[in-house]
């Protein structure tokens, strides 16, 4: 084993092979603190070729491998198990933007690039990379690809899958597949890149990608709107889509408990509508290539119409880019506020957009009947049907017992989601958290097909074992 560790050090350099527990600790605990693992070592390759060599050495020794980006997984997908036998392969040093092609509207980035860095590089070229997440300052695009991340702009631009034209991947065999093609059309057999997007590192290690870019919008208009209930929010969404079409890029639904947590735990946050007692809010954004004033005038007129129609009871329109940031900070800090509040049972679910109100109206009485006093923090991307539906008891002592009932809580939520034609994981993946639950909601045939793909690429089961599959 010592010889093999020396071999890893020879590939990446001694400074990038971590074996001491104090050095490996940040890599073996997930962001939420739910999973704590152990690792044989952490290796930090600096190029795709070094990743290939590391994988070949681990394969020869029979060592499990856990690819890791920014370690912001919400399902334990980047955390090793407790056996201590796995090698964590950190992609953080693969952080170069290899190319920006303004004529082709593409950007080629390595997997360790921070999402925020890719956004900034695109903006410097007068282009937009529209993937936007609350964790964009710490998550890496390799992780975004491996979970098919969604975020707040799916309504207009789609998921990470929709933004990706080509990939470079190190396979479990150690072979390096170069699929970095910036083509919008390539009908030459199976589109192999889609096997790796959303696979959570179980089929190979993504080392680089070609992303789509878009024209940089000249104007933004953002409003925080009070709505009486999710049904009114759905009508508001339909009206906004009819009025603004592709200019509508985000439509986020926020419950009052979610807002109150942010105001309580995040310094510098302010209630945009301090006089409102509304139980629900919508954060709506438009953009186009024109001027802020014209777009804001259009949104102001729309807000007036919807106030008359009853879908909106109050609202505020951001008057500056600073106010835009303040409104978005309320939405983007919900997860952090929940983390500071304490442990909760979290769900990342999606149903057809038209059934979002039905899910919300049916789920709460079911859960209140089974778990009296439960606090429901609901928020998410109502424009694409993806809700974050998180539950806890307000008192710490009662919450401990409630958390112990997680399987029963999950069953209630996921059975209803499935009845409504939805999914138990919209944008966070399965990881360790949902690998057993998915067996209830996918057919045996679907699971067999997925296992067959896994076995084809990774017959020894060394690539991120214990994720997606037990």
């Amino acid at each position: 084993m010592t010889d093999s560790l020396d071999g890893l050090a020879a590939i990446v350099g001694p400074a990038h092979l971590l074996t001491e527990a104090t050095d490996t600790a940040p890599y073996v605990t997930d962001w939420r603190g739910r999973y704590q693992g152990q690792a044989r070592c952490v290796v930090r390759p600096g190029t795709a070729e070094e990743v290939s060599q590391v994988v070949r050495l681990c394969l020869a020794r029979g060592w499990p491998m856990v690819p890791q980006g920014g370690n912001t997984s919400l399902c334990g997908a980047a955390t090793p198990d407790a056996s201590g036998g796995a090698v964590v392969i950190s992609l953080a040093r693969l952080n170069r933007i290899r190319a920006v092609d303004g004529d082709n509207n593409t950007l080629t980035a390595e997997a360790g690039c921070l999402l925020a860095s890719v956004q900034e590089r695109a903006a410097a070229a007068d282009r937009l990379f529209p993937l936007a997440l609350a964790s964009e300052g710490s998550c890496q695009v390799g992780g975004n690809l491996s979970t098919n991340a969604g975020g707040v702009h799916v309504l207009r631009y789609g998921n990470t899958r929709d933004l990706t034209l080509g990939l470079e991947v190190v396979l479990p065999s150690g072979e390096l597949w170069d699929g970095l093609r910036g083509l919008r059309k390539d009908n030459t057999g199976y589109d192999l890149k889609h096997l790796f997007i959303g696979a959570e590192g179980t089929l190979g290690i993504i080392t680089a990608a070609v992303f789509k870019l878009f024209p940089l919008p000249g104007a933004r208009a953002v409003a925080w709107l009070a709505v009486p209930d999710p049904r009114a929010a759905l009508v508001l969404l339909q009206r906004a889509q009819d009025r603004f079409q592709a200019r509508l890029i985000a439509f986020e639904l926020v419950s009052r408990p979610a807002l109150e947590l942010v105001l309580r735990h995040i310094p510098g946050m302010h209630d945009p509508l301090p006089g409102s007692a509304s139980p629900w809010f919508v954060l709506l954004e438009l953009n186009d290539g024109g001027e802020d004033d014209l777009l804001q005038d259009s949104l102001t007129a729309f807000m007036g119409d919807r106030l008359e129609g009853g879908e909106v009871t109050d609202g505020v329109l951001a008057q500056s880019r600073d106010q835009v940031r303040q409104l978005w900070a309320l939405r983007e800090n919900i997860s952090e506020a929940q983390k500071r509040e304490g442990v909760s049972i979290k769900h990342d679910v999606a149903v057809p957009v038209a059934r979002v109100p039905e899910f919300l109206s049916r789920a709460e009485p079911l859960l209140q009947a089974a778990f009296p006093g439960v606090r429901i923090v609901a928020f998410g991307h109502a424009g694409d049907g993806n809700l974050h539906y998180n539950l806890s008891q307000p008192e710490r002592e009662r919450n401990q017992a409630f958390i112990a009932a997680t399987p029963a809580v999950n069953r209630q939520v996921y059975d209803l989601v499935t009845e409504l034609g939805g999914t138990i994981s919209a944008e966070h993946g399965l990881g360790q958290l949902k690998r057993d639950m998915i067996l209830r909601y996918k057919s045996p045939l679907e699971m067999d097909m997925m296992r067959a793909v896994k076995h084809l690429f990774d017959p020894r089961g060394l690539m991120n074992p214990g994720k997606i599959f037990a």
Side-chain angles (χ1 to χ4, degrees), residues 69-361:
N71 200 19
T72 59
S73 170
L74 299 177
C75 294
T79 307
D81 63 22
S83 69
V87 173
V88 174
I89 302 176
S90 168
L91 282 299
R93 292 179 61 220
L94 275 74
N95 59 5
R96 290 170 286 274
I97 305 291
R98 294 188 186 175
V100 178
D101 187 340
D103 293 333
N104 196 42
N105 279 319
T106 57
L107 180 151
T108 304
E110 294 182 339
C113 290
L114 296 179
L115 173 55
S117 298
V118 174
Q119 295 168 340
E120 291 164 4
R121 185 63 178 272
D126 200 30
R127 295 292 186 273
L128 171 71
F129 182 59
L131 184 63
L133 315 172
S135 60
E136 59 197 28
S138 55
C139 67
Q140 297 172 12
V141 294
N144 301 148
L145 288 156
S146 293
T147 57
N148 188 27
V152 298
H153 293 156
V154 169
L155 177 62
R156 167 66 177 84
Y157 297 103
N159 294 293
T160 304
R161 184 185 304 278
D162 303 297
L163 300 173
T164 306
L165 295 173
L167 292 181
E168 177 185 83
V169 183
V170 174
L171 304 179
S173 63
E175 296 169 286
L176 181 63
W177 172 54
D178 182 0
L180 291 174
R181 290 182 282 275
L183 300 174
R184 269 71 176 177
K185 291 183 176 180
D186 182 5
N187 194 16
T188 53
Y190 303 130
D191 197 343
L192 296 174
K193 66 177 179 291
H194 290 303
L195 288 171
F196 302 99
I197 300 172
E200 301 183 49
T202 61
L203 301 181
I205 302 176
I206 296 171
T207 52
V210 180
F211 294 117
K212 297 178 185 177
L213 300 181
F214 297 83
L216 195 64
R220 297 179 73 184
V222 174
W224 181 272
L225 307 174
V227 295
D229 52 47
R231 178 65 59 186
L234 177 62
V235 175
L236 181 66
L237 171 64
Q238 294 167 342
R239 299 284 188 270
Q241 289 176 316
D242 289 343
R243 175 79 69 89
F244 300 112
Q245 300 184 25
R247 290 183 292 170
L248 178 66
I249 70 163
F251 192 95
E252 298 290 297
L253 186 65
V254 178
S255 66
R256 176 163 289 280
L259 173 62
E260 289 176 348
L261 284 181
V262 173
L263 297 175
R264 181 185 310 158
H265 290 291
I266 307 300
M269 298 292 105
H270 303 285
D271 190 340
L273 299 170
S276 173
S278 177
W280 292 95
F281 303 93
V282 164
L283 180 60
L284 179 155
E285 176 166 349
L286 310 176
N287 72 27
D288 67 16
E291 298 178 359
D292 283 354
D293 290 347
L294 295 177
L295 195 61
Q296 288 177 347
D297 288 346
S298 295
L299 184 51
T300 299
F302 175 76
M303 290 167 61
D305 292 343
R306 302 311 4 123
L307 280 163
E308 291 182 6
E311 298 92 32
V312 173
T313 58
D314 199 357
V316 60
L317 178 68
Q319 298 298 316
S320 67
R321 293 301 172 102
D322 186 58
Q323 289 181 6
V324 165
R325 287 189 289 270
Q326 290 174 20
L327 291 179
W328 270 109
L330 292 170
R331 165 62 183 86
E332 292 171 343
N333 278 289
I334 295 174
S335 293
E336 179 61 29
Q338 283 194 283
K339 184 178 180 182
R340 297 182 187 185
E341 174 77 2
V343 179
S344 60
I345 302 175
K346 300 180 184 297
H347 304 98
D348 162 47
V349 299
V351 295
V353 173
R355 308 199 80 169
V356 167
E358 182 181 356
F359 168 75
L360 291 168
S361 65

